[in-house]
Amino acid sequence: MASRLIRFQDFDSSFHHGESLHESIHIIREAITHIRENWANYQDLIDRLTVFLQDADNLAQDDERRLIEDMYLTPKAWVDRNPDGHDTNDFSILRLYLSDFGYREVFGIAEEAMQTNSLVTVYDLIPAIFLIELLNIDLFNYTALHDEGNNFQGIVYRGSYSPETRIQEFRDLYAKPLPERYWAVPLPIMSASLSPNTALAHALAEPRRQSSHLLLWRIHVASLSPRSLEMYKSRFPTSVVSTICAVPVQPISPYPDEREVILRGPFFQLVRIADEIVDGVGSVCVIDLVMLNSNRDHPTTMELSAARGQKARELFAALVAMERFSICKRLADSFNLSRDVQEYAQAYAAAQEKVTRLANN
């Protein structure tokens, strides 16, 4: 069981921020555009995915191979645009991700392909992005069809024994000007737990590595306010907004006691880093992060003209920033970070001004 819980562990790969974040987003957006423009060639995309996952298939046992085969059987369709009547309630990709084998061997291959040093061309990246797109559809359908998966807001956790160099990366990030204290995993999927003890269980079961410290991510998940959502929808009524960036999957998981929440391509704002005493564990380095669950990644974004698509993207990003700074301000205040409270108030005011300008443009 402890080895399975590695899904809740901090990862060793570099996170994206600043210019590298924008470059990564651009490449991923190109790949998604290609996939959606060629959705009519679904079987060709599946064939490329089959080749991409050949190593995983070779490692699979019978029950694991059935999970992969289930992924290929039924074409995926968004529940709100399904003219051919495909089954939108089977969640085969989601079930594959929730399995040990699927997480390690299938989605692990996709994550490796999407690391910065592996990004060669958009064409090379298409099978990995297609796999994530299939999971996106399952997550969207799950939130649409099951209320318990929709609009999650709360606190979730990830944890590990992390080398001092890793913790120093976060300290360096926290030392930056406030608007720069963010990073992202632009498309890949990560898991978190509603339980801090579950998040730390894998690390505590392993021998402690030299020069390493327990690190706990405390992730505060929020959503766009109804007012912000209405502002966006009034300008772009056909653009679908969902909450697939944070989806609790306990009811569908084969391991419900883990209380897993899937985070899809999260953008994090680092609010605080400090040592704390965690019950039953002891001293832990805790980083407090804020993210929003709101997401506009849906085929309707492709149906906007280039000019309106750009305006929609800018307004949505500004609304998310405004909400994020508001939440960060309240969180910083709870930690008595008076200087940060003032800076978040200024950042919120600037974002609010930008929202007003974009909404009237």
Side-chain angles (χ1 to χ4, degrees):
M1 177 60 72
S3 62
R4 172 182 163 76
L5 297 180
I6 197 171
R7 67 200 299 116
F8 302 118
Q9 182 166 311
D10 179 26
F11 50 87
D12 294 328
S13 56
S14 299
F15 47 75
H16 299 284
H17 60 92
E19 191 59 34
S20 73
L21 172 59
H22 298 304
E23 291 174 1
S24 180
I25 290 174
H26 175 72
I27 293 171
I28 288 170
R29 187 176 293 139
E30 280 191 60
I32 292 174
T33 299
H34 174 90
I35 289 166
R36 291 181 180 168
E37 287 178 344
N38 290 275
W39 199 257
N41 300 320
Y42 188 87
Q43 190 56 52
D44 290 343
L45 293 167
I46 286 291
D47 290 344
R48 287 193 60 188
L49 180 60
T50 303
V51 173
F52 179 71
L53 296 178
Q54 188 59 57
D55 288 345
D57 188 70
N58 290 339
L59 293 171
Q61 303 298 316
D62 288 346
D63 57 337
E64 297 165 342
R65 186 166 289 108
R66 279 193 293 272
L67 286 170
I68 296 179
E69 291 171 353
D70 287 346
M71 174 175 65
Y72 299 140
L73 285 177
T74 304
K76 288 294 175 184
W78 304 80
V79 70
D80 59 346
R81 42 179 57 212
N82 184 21
D84 296 323
H86 294 304
D87 185 1
T88 57
N89 203 34
D90 74 326
F91 308 122
S92 57
I93 313 295
L94 178 54
R95 294 181 194 280
L96 178 64
Y97 175 84
L98 291 171
S99 71
D100 288 346
F101 175 79
Y103 177 81
R104 292 192 320 268
E105 304 298 343
V106 177
F107 285 88
I109 293 173
E111 181 180 335
E112 182 179 353
M114 285 185 282
Q115 292 303 314
T116 302
N117 59 4
S118 298
L119 299 181
V120 181
T121 68
V122 172
Y123 183 83
D124 295 327
L125 203 57
I126 284 171
I129 300 294
F130 179 56
L131 176 66
I132 302 299
E133 177 77 342
L134 295 177
L135 182 58
N136 285 344
I137 295 173
D138 265 7
L139 291 173
F140 180 86
N141 294 348
Y142 186 74
T143 60
L145 297 171
H146 299 274
D147 289 342
E148 63 269 24
N150 189 40
N151 198 24
F152 169 81
Q153 299 179 66
I155 299 175
V156 295
Y157 302 88
R158 287 174 61 82
S160 67
Y161 266 119
S162 292
E164 180 60 39
T165 53
R166 179 65 167 175
I167 294 177
Q168 188 59 46
E169 284 187 85
F170 289 115
R171 297 192 190 281
D172 292 344
L173 189 66
Y174 187 69
K176 291 179 178 291
L178 185 146
E180 298 178 28
R181 298 177 195 168
Y182 73 94
W183 81 95
V185 186
L187 189 64
I189 310 298
M190 61 170 59
S191 290
S193 173
L194 288 163
S195 165
N197 295 99
T198 297
L200 289 169
H202 180 267
L204 293 172
E206 296 292 316
R208 179 175 177 176
R209 290 176 289 179
Q210 190 172 9
S211 301
S212 65
H213 305 275
L214 274 176
L215 174 67
L216 182 67
W217 299 25
R218 185 162 54 203
I219 305 167
H220 305 256
V221 182
S223 182
L224 275 181
S225 68
R227 182 172 180 272
S228 291
L229 189 56
E230 175 57 31
M231 183 180 295
Y232 178 77
K233 294 296 291 182
S234 66
R235 286 293 311 279
F236 305 99
T238 64
S239 179
V240 172
V241 176
S242 71
T243 60
I244 65 170
C245 286
V247 181
V249 291
Q250 190 171 4
I252 195 176
S253 173
Y255 304 93
D257 291 346
E258 292 174 359
R259 305 173 69 196
E260 183 170 356
V261 177
I262 294 178
L263 307 181
R264 181 269 189 202
F267 283 63
F268 297 117
Q269 179 80 25
L270 176 60
V271 176
R272 174 180 176 261
I273 179 168
D275 291 332
E276 293 185 14
I277 301 297
V278 174
D279 290 344
V281 177
S283 180
V284 178
C285 179
V286 178
I287 55 174
D288 280 281
L289 312 169
V290 168
M291 64 165 284
L292 267 67
N293 64 22
S294 308
N295 183 277
R296 56 184 289 275
D297 190 6
H298 184 270
T300 50
T301 60
M302 299 277 296
E303 295 164 2
L304 298 170
S305 67
R308 278 184 61 76
Q310 180 63 26
K311 288 181 178 181
R313 189 178 303 116
E314 291 176 352
L315 177 59
F316 192 80
L319 287 166
V320 167
M322 184 178 72
E323 295 280 359
R324 187 172 63 242
F325 288 138
S326 176
I327 297 159
C328 290
K329 176 178 175 293
R330 293 197 299 271
L331 190 57
D333 189 44
S334 72
F335 291 131
N336 297 314
L337 303 173
S338 55
R339 180 176 177 179
D340 284 356
V341 169
Q342 295 176 1
E343 291 188 23
Y344 277 121
Q346 295 169 358
Y348 173 83
Q352 188 177 44
E353 181 179 337
K354 184 175 182 179
V355 165
T356 301
R357 174 171 52 80
L358 291 172
N360 294 326
N361 186 1

